[in-house]
Amino acid sequence: MKKIIAGNWKMHKDRAEAAALIDGILQASGDLPSDVDMVVAPAFPFLADAVDRTKGTRLRIGAQNVHAATHGAYTGEVSVAMLASIGVQYCIVGHSERRQYWNETDAEVAKKIGALLRAGIKPIYCCGERKEERLAERHFDVVGAQMKEALGGFNEAELKRIVIAYEPVWAIGTGLNATAQQAQDMHAHIRSLLRTHGSAVTDAVPILYGGSCKPDNAAELFACPDVNGGLIGGAALDPGSYTALVRIAGE
Ligand code: PGA
């Protein structure tokens, strides 16, 4: 399966910095392996500019969040239709920071996924356990329950268009990545849960690892049979380390 390196820029980079980061990645992309899909997710104000800057290139643009409704009185929100109208192709949903700070639930995430699929935008669905859940050895159950709630209502054709990112909360921004074995075990678990929706789904859905993934530890993580790339925070904020990750994913 083709690997994906998706950069989640979070609330970083102003207009000029976002443009410079995109240009830096594009400048380096000539000699990058072609069998890796490259995605970056800047903040909302810079999405349209990012889509324009990357026209005709292999770099795809994603959003970091979306509202499930097509339009309406939702002050401060951005709709799927708005994202589609500027050419955004991916959207991260269910990130643990949104779950933690905005109490986002898997039921809400399911609605966002449905709206994105109807608009032809690929959802990158994030799941993952918190530290205390891993310590209590409940991580497989937690991720299984998240997936059931967020993805359980979709059919085979819909699920085939989703990307999953396993992001253990204790590894995000902490410098403490999951070991290759921990990642592989969870990714295999996620794939076995997808199998209940049919083998076509199992084979089609990329499962990315996220959480302190960087050029130093990526080779080991990406070598795992069920790890199909990464959702990268900190290490995606620099063109050198982002493109290094693309290179490692292509090895
Ligand atoms: P990190 O973030 O790579 O900085 O740990 C990953 C993420 O939150 O998607």
Side-chain angles (χ1 to χ4, degrees), residues 8 10 95-97 167 171-175 210-213 231-235:
N8 174 11
K10 309 192 181 184
H95 191 279
S96 69
E97 286 150 15
E167 298 206 311
I172 296 176
T174 58
S212 299
C213 181
L231 179 56
I232 316 294

Side-chain angles (χ1 to χ4, degrees), residues 82-160:
M82 292 172 186
L83 295 182
S85 74
I86 58 167
V88 165
Q89 294 186 23
Y90 289 81
C91 183
I92 299 167
V93 288
H95 191 279
S96 69
E97 286 150 15
R98 297 219 52 91
R99 295 172 189 263
Q100 182 181 349
Y101 303 127
W102 288 274
N103 300 317
E104 198 163 293
T105 64
D106 279 294
E108 286 163 343
V109 172
K111 289 189 195 145
K112 295 183 183 195
I113 292 174
L116 288 166
L117 290 174
R118 281 190 292 279
I121 298 176
K122 258 186 183 299
I124 301 179
Y125 166 66
C126 303
C127 55
E129 81 286 358
R130 296 195 303 261
K131 186 176 176 187
E132 60 273 23
E133 293 164 336
R134 171 144 306 246
L135 291 174
E137 295 181 4
R138 293 180 48 234
H139 43 289
F140 292 125
D141 291 344
V142 167
V143 169
Q146 289 173 334
M147 283 178 61
K148 190 169 179 210
E149 177 111 26
L151 305 180
F154 295 103
N155 63 31
E156 187 179 315
E158 290 165 329
L159 287 171
K160 279 164 74 177

